[in-house]
Amino acid sequence: MHFNSFNLQAVRDAFNFKKDGSQRELRITPSFWTEEADVDIPKNMMHFELPSHVNEKPDVQHQMEKLCEKKASLSFARLCFLGLLSGVWMALSASCAMTAAAGISQDVVKEWPIISKFVLSLFAPVAMHFIVVFGGEFFSGNCMYFCVGLLKKRVTIEQAVNNLFWVFIWNALGCVCATYMCLYLTQIFAGEQERKFVIAAAQAKANMPWMTSLIRAIPANILICTSIQMGIAAREMAGKIAVLHFPLTMYTVSGFEHCITNLVVVPLGIMYGADIHVTDWLWNNLLPATIGNFIGGGIIVGGFVSIIYSWDEQGHGNHNVPKPLRRRGSLVAQAGGMMLDKVQDVRTAVLRTVAHPDDLKEIDVSLQILRDVRKRVADSEQLLNSVEDRVESKGPDASGTDMPVRNGGAREDASVDKSRAEC
């Protein structure tokens, strides 16, 4: 019997159905399942990769919400300790950065002023590494966390104000105390060149106009909070340190204003004899820098980026935006939008109480695998049906060749049945 271009073995090879069982197994085990789900799938059907070294946007958003809830639930004693610790980290990193920058000759600085800024930018971000890795409550980052928490209704306004107020107070105490004990009593800036550098830096900040301090503080905390978000997105320690470092380098080289950093630089200059009135510094620099940091880190990064992360890819709107701000259309469109909002709310509730975003993605991927398998099996069955029809329609003399048919074609029928069973 002649099969023209059809061949049962070619059909089996086209779908790569091997006899070796090791080539046909995929194990799918989402982390919250109580039992493992084993699916027998050829490897050539796997056209995507599950592993990733970066958390996706929904996962970053989910972790920020969880961190906000955790920060809001801290006991007062622990909050004070972690706030104090962050101030100590800031003072220690500033001591290294300012010592390195002050050691550069003034002639070199006059010729190449970028050198001192670049040296400062290399060591100043180390404080953020300590805060993220070892722990600490940091005012700049908490502005972002609590704006996200308020948008997601994870915390109340009272909780947000209470945390930000006390964290700022204890950051300030940690900075001033560590500056006095580690930077002043040790006399590491007692040299003439180092002392002039510290005094000049402190006076430049204290005498800055109010509006200039405010505007410079906004991009500073945008970069700081962006680096924190990137640190959350990275899963490995090396990646976290890298993404934390470079945005802070940008903010230091650019000369932007950060309220917590100023609580180290200006008190240090006052301790070494800078002619600064404390009230003028508090009004002209610290207050506008704090307001600008909240605008940049809280409203811009915590608010706008949170909205972008939660934006519906199908264009159905954003559930972070209050209802009066949502786009209005026809009654049918509004009804459909309400239904979609309800579905999204249910999905979000399930996500928060049952599954982690990674688990939900694994489920979606698993369902897609099963859909692909079902489609390919249906295609292969249709192809085998067409082959079987051709086999049955051919007589022993139809092809013009004398191919022997043993046992009345039983062997070929058995091959067809076997291929069908494999598919």
Side-chain angles (χ1 to χ4, degrees):
M1 182 181 294
H2 185 58
F3 285 75
N4 294 337
S5 60
F6 291 96
N7 187 288
L8 295 178
Q9 185 60 42
V11 173
R12 287 194 292 268
D13 292 341
F15 289 92
N16 196 23
F17 291 118
K18 304 292 185 181
K19 293 183 179 181
D20 183 9
S22 63
Q23 300 292 327
R24 298 164 53 99
E25 184 177 352
L26 172 71
R27 188 176 296 266
I28 304 171
T29 56
S31 60
F32 67 90
W33 284 13
T34 56
E35 296 180 357
E36 295 179 346
D38 297 339
V39 182
D40 190 21
I41 300 173
K43 285 188 175 180
N44 68 315
M45 292 187 179
M46 299 298 296
H47 50 82
F48 45 79
E49 296 181 0
L50 292 178
S52 175
H53 297 290
V54 179
N55 292 320
E56 298 295 334
K57 290 181 180 179
D59 195 24
V60 174
Q61 185 78 14
H62 180 76
Q63 291 190 39
M64 290 175 64
E65 293 174 28
K66 287 295 186 182
L67 285 171
C68 179
E69 287 185 328
K70 182 178 179 181
K71 291 175 179 291
S73 62
L74 288 175
S75 65
F76 183 74
R78 188 175 181 184
L79 184 146
C80 296
F81 173 76
L82 292 175
L84 190 71
L85 185 63
S86 294
V88 173
W89 294 136
M90 290 295 299
L92 292 177
S93 66
S95 67
C96 178
M98 296 182 70
T99 301
I104 302 173
S105 172
Q106 291 298 316
D107 295 334
V108 176
V109 173
K110 289 180 181 179
E111 187 71 21
W112 301 95
I114 189 63
I115 293 179
S116 61
K117 292 184 177 181
F118 184 73
V119 172
L120 277 171
S121 70
L122 290 178
F123 300 101
V126 176
M128 187 61 67
H129 301 168
F130 291 156
I131 292 170
V132 172
V133 175
F134 296 106
E137 286 293 301
F138 195 50
F139 173 79
S140 301
N142 285 13
C143 292
M144 173 186 66
Y145 287 125
F146 278 92
C147 281
V148 172
L150 288 171
L151 282 173
K152 292 292 187 177
K153 299 181 180 179
R154 294 297 191 96
V155 296
T156 63
I157 296 178
E158 181 182 357
Q159 289 176 314
V161 172
N162 179 72
N163 181 279
L164 292 176
F165 174 78
W166 287 111
V167 166
F168 181 85
I169 295 298
W170 286 97
N171 283 170
L173 289 175
C175 288
V176 174
C177 294
T179 298
Y180 179 76
M181 291 187 292
C182 301
L183 279 68
Y184 177 69
L185 294 181
T186 56
Q187 293 294 300
I188 59 176
F189 295 103
E192 185 66 22
Q193 182 172 325
E194 290 81 2
R195 182 172 171 273
K196 286 182 179 180
F197 177 86
V198 168
I199 292 175
Q203 289 179 343
K205 290 182 176 295
N207 298 326
M208 190 176 297
W210 198 96
M211 188 57 66
T212 303
S213 299
L214 175 68
I215 297 175
R216 285 191 181 186
I218 295 174
N221 214 25
I222 290 176
L223 291 172
I224 292 172
C225 292
T226 301
S227 71
I228 295 174
Q229 279 199 347
M230 294 167 65
I232 296 174
R235 293 183 177 179
E236 297 179 352
M237 183 58 65
K240 288 182 180 291
I241 292 176
V243 299
L244 283 169
H245 196 90
F246 289 105
L248 301 180
T249 299
M250 294 170 58
Y251 125 74
T252 307
V253 171
S254 300
F256 296 138
E257 290 296 306
H258 183 220
C259 60
I260 306 302
T261 301
N262 293 353
L263 286 166
V264 176
V265 176
V266 178
L268 181 64
I270 294 174
M271 294 173 191
Y272 278 97
D275 185 14
I276 296 174
H277 296 285
V278 176
T279 54
D280 293 340
W281 163 57
L282 294 177
W283 172 253
N284 292 327
N285 180 258
L286 187 61
L287 177 62
T290 304
I291 297 173
N293 287 164
F294 179 80
I295 294 173
I299 297 175
I300 296 179
V301 179
F304 292 172
V305 175
S306 174
I307 293 174
I308 293 172
Y309 274 14
S310 301
W311 199 267
D312 193 336
E313 297 296 338
Q314 282 74 35
H316 297 310
N318 190 324
H319 306 284
N320 279 336
V321 181
K323 290 184 178 180
L325 300 180
R326 293 183 183 175
R327 195 182 308 171
R328 295 184 178 272
S330 64
L331 293 176
V332 176
Q334 290 184 25
M338 291 174 63
M339 293 176 64
L340 290 170
D341 289 349
K342 188 64 177 177
V343 172
Q344 182 68 18
D345 292 342
V346 173
R347 181 180 180 275
T348 303
V350 172
L351 174 65
R352 290 173 177 170
T353 58
V354 179
H356 192 270
D358 285 344
D359 299 327
L360 190 63
K361 287 190 294 183
E362 290 180 16
I363 295 173
D364 293 338
V365 169
S366 304
L367 292 175
Q368 184 61 43
I369 293 172
L370 297 177
R371 292 190 195 101
D372 292 344
V373 171
R374 185 176 181 180
K375 183 178 181 299
R376 295 199 179 205
V377 169
D379 292 342
S380 62
E381 186 174 0
Q382 182 179 2
L383 181 58
L384 285 175
N385 285 334
S386 65
V387 173
E388 185 178 9
D389 293 341
R390 292 291 296 269
V391 171
E392 293 176 352
S393 65
K394 295 296 183 179
D397 298 329
S399 62
T401 58
D402 296 331
M403 290 185 63
V405 181
R406 299 183 180 91
N407 300 325
R411 184 174 182 181
E412 297 298 338
D413 292 341
S415 299
V416 173
D417 293 338
K418 182 179 179 181
S419 297
R420 180 189 293 276
E422 288 183 354
C423 289

